[in-house]
Amino acid sequence: MALELGVIADDLTGGMMVASLLEREGVRCPLVTSAEALKGLDAESDAVVVGKKLRLIPAPDARKEVSAIGRALRAIDTKRIYYKYCATFDCTDEGNIGTAAEALLDVTGADRVIFAPAFPEYSVTVFQGRLFVGDRLLSESFKQYDPVTPMTNANLREVLKPQMTQNVGLISHRVLHGGLKAAREYVDAQVASGTHAFVIDSVDDDDATRVAELVSDWAVTTGGDALPGFLARQWLPADHPPGDRTVLPAAPGYEAVIAGSCAPSTLRQVDHFETRHAVFRIDLARSGDGLLDEIRSWAAEHLRRGPVAVSTSADVAGVERAQAALGRDGAAARADSLLGQAAKILYELGVRKLVIAGGETSGQVFSALGIRQVEVGSFDDLSGGYCFSRAPGPLAMVTKAGGLGNETFFDYALERMRRSEHGGES
């Protein structure tokens, strides 16, 4: 089986969004959680996303993991490999965006790679190598306050410099608009002179199309959520119908939310949900035993009355308190561990429809529940993330990046999953 595209995503939520965007293009694209799971792909798959918790692991571990997945994708005759990260370029000085790109250059033997995080549909753009969120530089956006990956520099070439062994060039907006032939000649000349990696400008969908045309035959590319969909349009026939998988198989059972993101949107969503439903807010700085038993007893009592939420989400002050008590990495690790265990408790109590807020959180939940492969719905007003797992048993989920969605997102996502139990009708 040959695949047109294999995506390696550095977290589950982002991987789910890419898969859903490809499904919207009419590309059958399941998501798996390991290189080993690639062996069980449906023969009808045109592409695949391998979603792993790669963003914050040590750079040597990331290189090893990405290399292994890259080799596994090559082994099943994948034409193009794409390393996917957040559109806001979430990373640390140590990696792992540059680290992964260099690993895939080694695996494929390719001599060029781009960094293309722009997602014009969500007003994330790149101009002169600087990343903008709306009308603000990345360093002036809400991402400067991210508790785990604070992004304080919008110059992506400078962000990548400590992560890579080689120089990073720029394919500017001017070069991109000089025409495809001229852009290819520019890249060829840069590669010949020793520059093999490039940040590329993109400010709208027309630019994204130009980028896809430029790199359509490259063995490896990297970027945010948007570019794979534009790449798909390069290989699909012009009359290929769009995808419409808006309702997935049914998963009757209780309903719950797991929230780990501290993004302002998620905080508002948890607050709104709490006006109608029970929320268990975990204080990460709390010491002592018995917390998981308390969550189990609480959930068993409240699930019979309707959806519940378990959350470690906190505002800036709450994050600072947790980090003061546990350290930055310690607070993140404790949140992930507790939410993964909470998801397992909820599943054991009969939850079969689950909304998960936060990329790192989603990865932890999938790991805790032993989920290896999911079917993915087409991208729509849920912003991607609607999926269905057949093992360990029928389970419908909507994962979301922390910064996405309005305050009613949790209720809307749960309602979408209920439709499958009523023939797709709301």
Side-chain angles (χ1 to χ4, degrees):
M1 174 182 65
L3 293 177
E4 292 286 349
L5 180 66
V7 178
I8 306 171
D10 72 354
D11 75 352
L12 247 297
T13 299
M16 204 74 67
M17 178 174 279
V18 168
S20 68
L21 286 163
L22 286 166
E23 289 278 356
R24 184 174 72 177
E25 297 294 331
V27 174
R28 182 54 55 89
C29 183
L31 180 142
V32 301
T33 59
S34 69
E36 293 74 23
L38 290 170
K39 300 173 184 176
L41 284 184
D42 189 314
E44 295 182 357
S45 300
D46 304 303
V48 67
V49 174
V50 185
K52 296 286 290 185
K53 188 174 179 179
L54 298 169
R55 183 174 302 162
L56 299 175
I57 66 176
D61 295 345
R63 175 178 283 273
K64 182 178 179 181
E65 188 78 53
V66 169
S67 296
I69 300 171
R71 288 192 294 269
L73 287 168
R74 298 271 286 180
I76 58 173
D77 198 20
T78 303
K79 295 180 183 179
R80 308 165 183 84
I81 298 178
Y82 186 92
Y83 185 75
K84 187 271 169 196
Y85 36 82
C86 185
T88 47
F89 220 70
D90 295 12
C91 60
T92 66
D93 287 343
E94 293 74 29
N96 287 320
I97 295 175
T99 303
E102 290 190 333
L104 290 173
L105 287 175
D106 289 343
V107 166
T108 61
D111 65 356
R112 61 196 68 190
V113 64
I114 58 163
F115 300 92
F119 197 169
E121 188 172 342
Y122 281 84
S123 300
V124 179
T125 57
V126 180
F127 185 71
Q128 295 300 317
R130 275 74 171 174
L131 195 149
F132 290 79
V133 181
D135 62 353
R136 294 177 179 272
L137 286 164
L138 173 67
S139 52
E140 298 172 358
S141 74
F142 70 94
K143 290 303 297 183
Q144 67 180 304
Y145 303 115
D146 190 291
V148 181
T149 54
M151 301 306 295
T152 58
N153 189 350
N155 187 325
L156 301 186
R157 297 169 71 189
E158 292 180 359
V159 172
L160 286 165
K161 187 174 182 179
Q163 301 181 22
M164 303 188 69
T165 61
Q166 54 187 290
N167 178 53
V168 181
L170 172 68
I171 301 173
S172 69
H173 193 259
R174 179 184 61 80
V175 169
L176 202 58
H177 279 255
L180 180 59
K181 181 176 182 293
R184 285 176 173 167
E185 290 174 349
Y186 171 83
V187 173
D188 287 343
Q190 291 292 304
V191 170
S193 66
T195 297
H196 301 280
F198 306 88
V199 171
I200 191 163
D201 284 352
S202 184
V203 302
D204 54 24
D205 283 355
D206 177 62
D207 283 352
T209 299
R210 292 170 187 265
V211 172
E213 290 172 346
L214 175 63
V215 304
S216 62
D217 60 348
W218 291 21
V220 55
T221 50
T222 84
D225 314 83
L227 186 57
F230 288 89
L231 286 171
R233 296 174 195 175
Q234 300 302 306
W235 79 69
L236 290 171
D239 59 351
H240 189 80
D244 61 353
R245 301 184 77 200
T246 57
V247 178
L248 296 175
Y254 291 138
E255 304 169 351
V257 173
I258 296 282
S261 169
C262 295
S265 292
T266 297
L267 298 181
R268 289 192 292 270
Q269 288 155 2
V270 173
D271 288 344
H272 180 79
F273 188 83
E274 195 171 23
T275 64
R276 299 178 56 198
H277 307 293
V279 176
F280 191 106
R281 294 180 180 265
I282 297 174
D283 180 359
L284 293 177
R286 169 182 165 178
S287 59
D289 299 325
L291 179 57
L292 293 175
D293 288 338
E294 188 177 335
I295 292 173
R296 182 182 292 276
S297 297
W298 174 89
E301 176 187 353
H302 288 89
L303 279 170
R304 294 189 296 270
R305 305 171 192 168
V308 303
V310 178
S311 173
T312 60
S313 302
D315 59 15
V316 173
V319 170
E320 290 175 346
R321 285 195 300 272
Q323 292 182 344
L326 302 167
R328 189 183 77 174
D329 293 341
R334 179 165 168 77
D336 285 348
S337 175
L338 286 171
L339 291 175
Q341 293 176 82
K344 194 170 183 180
I345 288 170
L346 291 169
Y347 184 84
E348 290 168 353
L349 291 172
V351 168
R352 295 297 182 268
K353 288 180 278 290
L354 192 60
V355 183
I356 313 168
E360 296 294 312
T361 305
S362 298
Q364 193 70 27
V365 170
F366 272 52
S367 177
L369 296 179
I371 296 170
R372 292 171 51 85
Q373 181 170 334
V374 294
E375 301 171 37
V376 180
S378 304
F379 187 88
D380 57 16
D381 53 359
L382 278 177
S383 300
Y386 178 26
C387 63
F388 176 81
S389 175
R390 298 185 183 277
L395 178 64
M397 293 171 287
V398 174
T399 69
K400 81 167 200 82
L404 293 180
N406 62 25
E407 65 178 12
T408 65
F409 184 91
F410 295 162
D411 289 317
Y412 184 74
L414 290 170
E415 176 57 35
R416 171 68 64 81
M417 290 184 278
R418 293 180 197 127
R419 288 187 196 174
S420 59
E421 297 167 33
H422 304 286
E425 299 298 327
S426 58

